[in-house]
Every structure is written in structure tokens, then in C-alpha cells.
Amino acid sequence: MERRRKFRRIGVFEVFNALLMLAVCFLTLYPMWFVFINSLNAPQQAMLGTVNWFPKEFSLASYSVVFNDKSLMHGFYITTLRTVIGTVAHVLFTAIVAYGMSKSNLIGRKIYLKIALITMLFSGGLIPSFILMTKLGLYDNFWVFIIPAMYTFFNMVIFMSFFRTIPDSLEESAKVDGASDYGVLFRIVLPNSMAVLATISLFSAVYHWNDYYQGVIYIRSQDQLPMQTMLYKIIAENSMSFMQQQAMAQFGARLPGNSIKFASMMVATLPILVFYPFIQRYLVKGVMIGAIKG
């Protein structure tokens, strides 16, 4: 009887846990589903603001307006270019720094780590950063998205933790064959570090793709704005007049602002959602780096 009661208790707990997980998943996914459904709804339905599980009147009018807007598509190009260049530069530069810092015989290693830790905990603030970017000639420059984000201490620590798990015998055998430090890094260490490379690449790509704040602060020219900054201005300032004029010229009707906003959100979000599943297995392994000892 006691065993049956235990099995019943375990069964009830598992059911409750499953229901709780489903509720959390629903609360997490429903906002995205709501935006997606309303972006596919006809403009008249989107104006009502009702909650629908599926489009009542299927229409791609909002997406047509978004894709026909040259400024928004140019922002999409800037975001894509920034994400690709920024991710490659960040992973490459951070890996080089982390490889040197992972060596215990590096002169001044502890001092470098303490200085880098201070920069992670404290920053100069917005005004000093703005003055610095202006003095460096990065204000209203595409490279303001790339150069300041080439290195982060947190990601360097993740790289260091993984590099220490690689056997020293591999590096020693490569050096015996005449390989330099850079040769060891690019021919031995990095090819055996796919998990951490995928993890840091995902972190960096998501940051570059979703970031809008750098464009708000440092970019003035319209042709340098990333898509996320343009989307932020559309939502914050409700600057829909030009796109709605295009809709009137194309469809003979004025599309509601919310309909265009929903379509813009989906265009800005879908690429990173499609990219994520391909490196998820590397991410799970990468985030466990340093968690297991022994």
C-alpha cells in the first residue's frame, strides 16, 4: 500500500510539473504567436485588436509594404553585415586574447586579469563613451558597431576555461614540428574547440542582431541605421507615415500602423530564430564549460 501511495504521489507531482512547464512555455511563446498571427491578418482585422489563434482573413499586405520599403531593407542589410563581421571579429579577437591568458607562464597574467575584471564590473558611463567614440572617429561610422564589441571579459573567461581542457601534449607535439603559437592556435586549438566557438558565436550574433541602442546613440545618418534601430523608432515614435503612404499607393487603402509593426517585428526576429536550432547542440555543451570538475 505504501509503495502504491508513493507511485501515486510521484505521478501527481509529474503531472503538476508537466502542466507547469506547459504554462511557462505558453506564456513564453504566445506573445510571438500573437505578433505572427496579426502580421498575417488582413488590415481590417488588425485594426480591431482582437485576440485570434489563427488569421481570420489571411493577407500578406503588411509584409509587402515592409519588403518594398527601401530604407527598412537597407537597415536589414546593415544588420546582417554587422552581425557577420561583428561575430567573426569578436570570436577571433577574443580567442586570441584568451589563448594567451590561458597560459600560466604569461608575464603579468594576474594583473591583466584583475584589470579586465574591473572593466567588466565598472564602466565610464555613457558620456565618456560617447566622447571616446567621437575622438576615435567612430561617431556616425559603421565600425562603431564592430570595434567596441570585439572583446568582452566574460566570453574570454569561457574561452580560457575550454582551452585549459585541451591536453598540453597536442600543443607540445605541434611545437616540436615547428609550429608557432599562432599555428598552434589556428591548427590545433580552435579546430578542437567547436563547442565553445559555436557558443560564443551565438552570444555575439544574438547581441549584434538584436542591439538597437548603439544605433540610437552613435549613428546619425539614415543609411547607417540597422534594422532594429529603425524598428525601435517606428515603435517609439510611431513614424509610420511614409510606409503607410506606400501602402495607399500599392493597395489603395491605408494600412494600420500595428499591422506594419507586427510584420516588421517578424522580419527582424525570424532570421535569428531559424539560425538557432542548427547550433543548439553546441550551445548546450558550451554553457557547461567549467561546471563539472574532476
Side-chain angles (χ1 to χ4, degrees):
M1 293 295 294
E2 292 182 358
R3 291 183 178 179
R4 291 181 180 178
R5 291 178 181 177
K6 289 182 180 180
F7 284 133
R8 290 177 181 175
R9 291 177 183 176
I10 294 175
V12 172
F13 176 77
E14 290 179 349
V15 171
F16 175 78
N17 191 26
L19 293 176
L20 181 62
M21 294 288 289
L22 288 175
V24 172
C25 291
F26 174 78
L27 294 175
T28 304
L29 297 177
Y30 179 73
M32 178 64 67
W33 181 254
F34 176 82
V35 173
F36 177 66
I37 290 303
N38 280 277
S39 68
L40 295 176
N41 249 331
Q44 296 78 9
Q45 293 293 329
M47 289 181 63
L48 299 177
T50 57
V51 178
N52 302 314
W53 292 104
F54 301 98
K56 287 190 174 181
E57 295 182 23
F58 181 81
S59 174
L60 296 177
S62 300
Y63 286 97
S64 179
V65 173
V66 171
F67 284 111
N68 286 328
D69 183 44
K70 294 182 179 180
S71 61
L72 198 61
M73 287 297 98
H74 185 73
F76 187 86
Y77 167 75
I78 293 294
T79 299
T80 304
L81 189 65
R82 171 192 177 179
T83 302
V84 173
I85 298 177
T87 300
V88 173
H90 176 79
V91 171
L92 181 62
F93 187 80
T94 306
I96 293 174
V97 175
Y99 178 69
M101 297 296 290
S102 65
K103 304 303 177 184
S104 58
N105 58 352
L106 178 66
I107 300 176
R109 175 175 172 273
K110 293 183 179 180
I111 298 177
Y112 298 149
L113 287 175
K114 290 179 181 179
I115 295 175
L117 179 61
I118 292 174
T119 61
M120 186 181 73
L121 299 176
F122 305 98
S123 64
L126 179 59
I127 295 177
S129 299
F130 182 83
I131 295 174
L132 177 62
M133 297 303 159
T134 304
K135 295 295 184 181
L136 293 175
L138 295 177
Y139 179 71
D140 201 20
N141 192 321
F142 172 79
W143 292 102
V144 75
F145 298 131
I146 308 301
I147 295 177
M150 286 180 64
Y151 168 84
T152 58
F153 179 76
F154 178 79
N155 289 344
M156 189 201 72
V157 172
I158 296 178
F159 266 120
M160 286 176 53
S161 301
F162 191 89
F163 289 163
R164 289 173 181 171
T165 62
I166 298 177
D168 295 335
S169 58
L170 290 176
E171 300 183 22
E172 293 174 357
S173 61
K175 289 185 177 180
V176 168
D177 293 335
S180 62
D181 290 330
Y182 284 103
V184 173
L185 175 63
F186 289 105
R187 296 181 180 181
I188 303 298
V189 177
L190 293 183
N192 289 281
S193 306
M194 295 305 298
V196 69
L197 287 175
T199 302
I200 302 302
S201 296
L202 180 63
F203 290 164
S204 179
V206 170
Y207 163 75
H208 281 289
W209 187 268
N210 292 331
D211 177 65
Y212 70 93
Y213 190 68
Q214 301 295 321
V216 173
I217 300 299
Y218 300 118
I219 299 298
R220 185 176 181 180
S221 303
Q222 186 71 19
D223 58 349
Q224 295 287 347
L225 288 176
M227 186 176 184
Q228 277 66 23
T229 303
M230 299 178 67
L231 183 60
Y232 163 78
K233 291 185 176 182
I234 289 173
I235 296 175
E237 302 173 5
N238 199 23
S239 56
M240 284 288 178
S241 57
F242 178 72
M243 298 177 70
Q244 288 177 339
Q245 289 175 7
Q246 285 186 326
M248 291 181 65
Q250 184 175 356
F251 300 101
R254 184 178 179 87
L255 288 180
N258 287 338
S259 182
I260 301 177
K261 288 178 183 179
F262 292 146
S264 302
M265 290 179 187
M266 293 307 303
V267 172
T269 307
L270 279 178
I272 202 69
L273 292 179
V274 173
F275 174 74
Y276 176 79
F278 293 99
I279 59 175
Q280 182 181 7
R281 61 191 183 98
Y282 294 108
L283 177 65
V284 174
K285 183 179 179 181
V287 296
M288 294 297 293
I289 295 172
I292 302 175
K293 302 294 182 181

